[in-house]
Amino acid sequence: LNNMPEVEYAEPIPKSNIFAGETNDPDLNQLYHLYLTEAFEAWNMMNGDTVLIGIVDTGIDFEHEDLENQIWYNPGENGLDEFGVDKSTNGIDDDGNGYIDDWRGWDFGSESGYDNDPSYGGDHGVHVSGIAAAQVNNKKGVAGVSPRAKILSVKIGPDFGLDNSVYNEYEGLLYAAIMGADVINCSWGGTGYSQTNAAIVETAIELGALIVAAAGNNNRNQAFYPASYDGVLSVASSAEDDLRSGFSNFNTRVDISAPGTFIYSSVPDNKYDFKSGTSMASPVAAGAAAVLRSQFPLLSP
């Protein structure tokens, strides 16, 4: 082409990547876990597609400046139906999944019964969501570990977040898998084994979801579920010095450790705060797993 008289010059256009180097998110210096896990280096190698992370937790702040653009909306319950009525409010199970008007997730924890509003009851789920998938490079707040993830909010906490109880949590986990989540984060659990819950976990994995779960905060050598079920990625917590967090459980079922001490992330009302726990380590690992699944979508859980 350069030899043609009508062509001034010709050259291949190089590929650009908006994630090159660090990002323009102002609180980046607070996010030691991104540096410790070499997240920026991973982002620079990414050329995959969007992946879906199911956050099975206490709900999400849909209007948070760092989360509002990260929400996954159910295509089967959005748009107009055959009568010109908005599918999200028409009172019909348009996508046939057993949940009416679940246009942006589902609430399994509501005291008034199941409903289609998984807005936050407590701030735990908002914090976890930000760790995994807060918007990157938007000049606001923090950056999630997975820059190409969308969040499916599955609420299992009470509406007002007054305690640490969760409800119908395994039903919520299964819902996330049915809706096509590539990765499901479970920053909750307990010491009791259940054959029924183990079967639900197995079904979710068979549907293609990688389940990532917190190993527990009791500083004990003990099993913790769902993290300790077969096929689940069990995550212990480490600190900025790369040593085990003093609160983190440890056992032969733990698969990996991730930063979980003093993790800075989103909380309701466009605010940010530090939290510690394997609850924070789990979404770091889930975000990293989402990066991997984006890059290598044919990998099994």
Side-chain angles (χ1 to χ4, degrees):
L1 290 175
N2 274 316
N3 290 331
M4 299 174 65
E6 63 270 31
V7 176
E8 181 176 350
Y9 68 92
E11 66 175 1
I13 301 298
K15 179 176 175 59
S16 299
N17 191 327
I18 64 169
F19 302 120
E22 296 181 357
T23 78
N24 60 23
D25 301 285
D27 294 334
L28 208 62
N29 63 332
Q30 305 276 20
L31 310 180
Y32 78 87
H33 59 283
L34 294 184
Y35 297 92
L36 199 58
T37 58
E38 299 184 2
F40 305 112
E41 289 82 350
W43 296 352
N44 286 337
M45 294 186 285
M46 286 187 72
N47 56 11
D49 296 324
T50 300
V51 293
L52 182 60
I53 299 181
I55 303 293
V56 183
D57 213 289
T58 62
I60 197 169
D61 182 352
F62 288 101
E63 298 178 355
H64 194 288
E65 62 182 7
D66 243 351
L67 300 176
E68 60 183 352
N69 294 324
Q70 302 303 99
I71 307 302
W72 178 82
Y73 293 97
N74 179 6
E77 293 287 353
N78 277 275
L80 302 180
D81 63 18
E82 58 182 321
F83 303 107
V85 180
D86 190 336
K87 291 182 181 180
S88 67
T89 57
N90 64 0
I92 299 173
D93 181 12
D94 294 283
D95 61 357
N97 67 351
Y99 299 90
I100 296 173
D101 296 341
D102 58 328
W103 61 287
R104 57 178 187 178
W106 196 256
D107 178 3
F108 290 89
S110 171
E111 292 89 340
S112 59
Y114 299 177
D115 62 53
N116 69 339
D117 183 13
S119 298
Y120 67 93
D123 62 1
H124 188 272
V126 182
H127 198 268
V128 166
S129 297
I131 295 171
Q135 187 172 354
V136 174
N137 238 38
N138 63 341
K139 299 182 180 180
K140 296 177 181 177
V142 299
V145 176
S146 180
R148 295 189 179 171
K150 292 291 186 181
I151 300 168
L152 166 60
S153 179
V154 183
K155 179 171 169 284
I156 56 170
D159 287 342
F160 302 104
L162 299 179
D163 58 41
N164 293 324
S165 299
V166 294
Y167 305 94
N168 308 303
E169 61 270 29
Y170 286 89
E171 191 173 352
L173 187 159
L174 184 59
Y175 170 83
I178 290 172
M179 298 309 292
D182 300 289
V183 178
I184 300 173
N185 185 77
C186 302
S187 289
W188 45 268
T191 58
Y193 173 88
S194 161
Q195 183 176 346
T196 300
N197 291 338
I200 292 173
V201 165
E202 182 179 3
T203 299
I205 294 171
E206 289 174 351
L207 288 170
L210 170 66
I211 302 171
V212 182
N217 300 335
N218 303 320
N219 187 25
R220 293 178 182 172
N221 181 356
Q222 66 178 174
F224 200 73
Y225 301 95
S228 294
Y229 285 125
D230 289 343
V232 176
L233 187 70
S234 175
V235 186
S237 175
S238 59
E240 191 168 1
D241 58 7
D242 226 13
L243 299 176
R244 182 178 68 87
S245 303
F247 53 77
S248 180
N249 282 357
F250 50 96
N251 58 71
T252 58
R253 285 289 191 168
V254 168
D255 298 292
I256 200 166
S257 298
T261 299
F262 295 123
I263 303 299
Y264 194 66
S265 183
S266 49
V267 292
D269 301 322
N270 290 331
K271 297 178 181 178
Y272 302 86
D273 203 356
F274 292 94
K275 290 183 182 293
S276 297
T278 56
S279 281
M280 284 65 249
S282 185
V284 171
V291 169
L292 192 65
R293 293 208 83 170
S294 172
Q295 191 73 2
F296 303 104
L298 298 182
L299 288 180
S300 69

